[in-house]
Amino acid sequence: MRNAETGSLKAGLRKALVALAFGAGLIGAAQAQTLAALPSALPSAGAGLAPGAEARPILAWTDFCRSYPNECAFDRAEPARIALTPAVWSTIVSVNRRVNRQIRPVTDQEHWGRPDRWDLAEDGSGDCEDFQLLKRRLLAESGLPRRAMRMTVVIDEKGEGHAVLTLVTDRGDYVLDNKTSAVTAWHETGYVFIKREGQDALAWVSLGGASSPVTTANR
């Protein structure tokens, strides 16, 4: 009887150990998937855009800042870079996808009867900069430092002016775009980077690209 009890005890112990190991394996796999989703630090050649001299802002951005001063204000005490964690990366990817899915793309000419107007797509429609401004507002509300999220003007694959949102992170500069739901390293976008909002003043800085477009009126 005692041998039977001992055998039963050993069998139960083996089952418990197997279950524990299986559970640990599942937890490990989940952690690995989460960590795998976080991008690796970029090599130095693609780590970050190098801001240059002060640049003239897009006129529609100036009008936007008059209408939405809180969206243009930033605090120099905020971090200049976003510390990427799996949770922060998940939030960034989620917001990018959600806004791209929810906003109806339409040019400012079709929408407002004018070449370029920046706003927050409050009626559910907008063009490129409206997508990105809304993403920044949502990410700032999630706790990301506004100072590290800079509106950026590029020349796109069609040779047209286009606006994206650059996230300056501790793993390099990443771009949020309404043309794709992937959050992409800046040097992998194929765009020519022209200028972006500065991090130290209410001004824009050159990124060394070609001549600046007058507008970013691009879906």
Side-chain angles (χ1 to χ4, degrees):
M1 187 71 174
R2 189 171 297 174
N3 289 339
E5 289 176 353
T6 301
S8 177
L9 181 60
K10 288 181 178 179
L13 182 59
R14 281 196 299 270
K15 289 181 180 179
L17 289 172
V18 169
L20 182 60
F22 180 71
L26 289 178
I27 293 171
Q31 289 176 336
Q33 289 172 355
T34 301
L35 293 173
L38 187 63
S40 301
L42 297 178
S44 57
L49 290 154
E54 186 171 333
R56 180 176 297 179
I58 295 290
L59 179 59
W61 174 85
T62 304
D63 294 337
F64 170 78
C65 290
R66 292 195 190 102
S67 300
Y68 301 88
N70 290 338
E71 296 299 322
C72 295
F74 64 90
D75 183 357
R76 285 191 183 184
E78 281 190 322
R81 296 180 184 274
I82 296 167
L84 285 185
T85 65
V88 168
W89 182 253
S90 177
T91 297
I92 291 167
V93 171
S94 175
V95 166
N96 190 54
R97 288 177 177 169
R98 176 154 51 95
V99 172
N100 284 357
R101 185 171 58 246
Q102 292 179 349
I103 301 302
R104 181 177 71 92
V106 59
T107 67
D108 286 330
Q109 194 64 52
E110 296 168 326
H111 197 182
W112 305 109
R114 55 193 286 189
D116 201 15
R117 169 177 163 167
W118 289 33
D119 63 27
L120 292 162
E122 290 161 312
D123 63 356
S125 299
D127 67 351
C128 55
E129 69 276 350
D130 308 326
F131 280 78
Q132 319 320 333
L133 289 165
L134 178 56
K135 292 171 189 176
R136 179 166 70 180
R137 169 180 273 190
L138 295 174
L139 290 170
E141 290 174 351
S142 297
L144 273 65
R146 185 180 294 276
R147 186 183 178 198
M149 299 185 285
R150 302 288 81 195
M151 289 296 294
T152 305
V153 173
V154 302
I155 301 297
D156 69 6
E157 73 284 355
K158 299 177 183 178
E160 299 176 349
H162 182 52
V164 298
L165 182 63
T166 299
L167 304 187
V168 182
T169 84
D170 59 357
R171 292 173 179 253
D173 288 1
Y174 285 85
V175 168
L176 274 62
D177 195 351
N178 58 298
K179 294 187 178 188
T180 175
S181 289
V183 178
T184 310
W186 72 273
H187 65 290
E188 295 178 344
T189 62
Y191 295 154
V192 177
F193 284 75
I194 307 299
K195 57 188 177 182
R196 75 180 181 200
E197 293 173 302
Q199 290 190 291
D200 299 309
L202 189 60
W204 284 63
V205 292
S206 172
L207 297 173
S211 299
S212 174
V214 176
T215 69
T216 56
N218 188 323
R219 286 188 189 181

